[in-house]
Amino acid sequence: MKKIVLFLLIAVFSYAESTFSDPQPTFDNPRKLVIQLYDSEVTKVNHNLSSIYNILKEYPSESLKVVVIAYGNGMRALKNDYDAKTLTRIQSLMEYDVEFIGCRNTMETMKWSESDFIDDIEYVQAGIVEIIERQVSGYVGIIAY
C-alpha cells in the first residue's frame, strides 16, 4: 500500500505545473512584476530573493520582467558592506535580467553615494514614485518584507 501511495504522490507532483492565464506570457507580451524592498533584515531579504528565483523558474525564458525597487531601510540590502552571500544572490539575479533600482531620496537622507552600492543598480529620485509609475504601466506590484 505504501508503494502505491508513494507512486501516486510522485505521479501527481511530477505533472504539477503552473497554468498561465490568457494572454499567455511571451517575449512580446511578458508578465511584469515590481517588488518593493523596504526592509534590510537579512532573513527577510533572502526570503524575497528566494521568491524571485521561484517565480523565474515557473515562467518560460524571457516571458517575465522583474524589477526590485529599494527605498528606505531596504536600500541597505544593496550596499557594498551588506551580507556577502546575499549580495552574491542579488548579483546572480541581475544576471537573469532582474533589475534592481535604488532610491536617491533615501541616499540623500542617509548621505550615501553610488559608490556605497553594488554595481549595476539603476537609480531613480523617488523609489515609491517609480513603483506607482510601474504599476500604472502594467506591472503587478508586490510588497516584499
Side-chain angles (χ1 to χ4, degrees), residues 1-9:
M1 183 66 174
K2 288 182 183 179
K3 288 182 180 180
I4 293 173
V5 170
L6 180 63
F7 174 77
L8 289 173
L9 286 173

Side-chain angles (χ1 to χ4, degrees), residues 60-122:
S61 181
E62 300 186 17
S63 68
L64 175 69
K65 290 184 179 184
V66 179
V67 178
V68 178
I69 300 176
Y71 62 95
N73 200 32
M75 286 292 290
R76 293 181 189 280
L78 303 178
K79 290 188 72 198
N80 290 322
D81 61 356
Y82 193 68
D83 179 68
K85 290 180 181 179
T86 303
L87 290 176
T88 298
R89 295 183 76 202
I90 289 170
Q91 290 165 329
S92 171
L93 284 169
M94 288 176 166
E95 291 177 15
Y96 286 96
D97 295 325
V98 174
E99 289 180 74
F100 283 81
I101 298 175
C103 175
R104 288 193 186 281
N105 286 342
T106 300
M107 293 168 62
E108 291 167 9
T109 299
M110 300 304 292
K111 304 210 182 332
W112 292 331
S113 67
E114 287 185 22
S115 64
D116 293 318
F117 295 90
I118 59 175
D119 293 335
D120 300 323
I121 295 175
E122 297 174 39

Side-chain angles (χ1 to χ4, degrees), residues 31-42:
R31 296 294 192 258
K32 298 184 287 186
L33 175 63
V34 61
I35 298 172
Q36 46 183 311
L37 179 62
Y38 61 88
D39 192 322
S40 65
E41 199 276 310
V42 174

